[in-house]
Every structure is written in structure tokens, then in C-alpha cells.
Amino acid sequence: MKRQKRDRLDRAHSQGYKAGITGRSRETCPYQQSGSKSQWLGGWREAIGDKSDGLFK
């Protein structure tokens, strides 16, 4: 059970990262549950930071 939960959170983080890289708004977060939503937003913020550091165009 723990593995499934961790995988879902990892997936939420990677989807948020992809959304940030492509320039989507943080308002487009598809998650309602706080754990998944915070992981998605964490990935989104990480991507925005990487993008501003010049790692992506």
C-alpha cells in the first residue's frame, strides 16, 4: 500500500514538473487532495526555477 501511495505522489510531482516546463499556470493543477496537490505544485515550482535558471527554453 505504501508503494502505491508513493508512486501516486511521485507521479503528481512529475506531472507538475512537466506542466511548469511547458509554461502552464499553477491554476491548472488537476488534483484536489492536499498531498497530491502539494506534490504537483512542488514539481511545478521546481520546473519554474529550472526554467528561470536557463536549464530549459
Side-chain angles (χ1 to χ4, degrees):
M1 186 73 160
K2 284 186 178 184
R3 182 180 172 143
Q4 286 180 333
K5 287 184 181 179
R6 195 173 328 128
D7 288 344
R8 268 184 265 161
L9 295 178
D10 288 342
R11 191 171 337 133
H13 185 273
S14 67
Q15 286 176 347
Y17 190 87
K18 290 174 191 174
I21 291 298
T22 58
R24 288 178 37 202
S25 169
R26 67 184 284 177
E27 303 301 321
T28 61
C29 177
Y31 295 99
Q32 301 300 319
Q33 293 177 340
S34 64
S36 298
K37 187 171 188 169
S38 67
Q39 286 294 318
W40 191 93
L41 290 172
W44 183 84
R45 279 191 294 273
E46 186 179 333
I48 295 300
D50 288 350
K51 200 171 179 183
S52 70
D53 288 344
L55 297 175
F56 295 95
K57 289 185 178 183

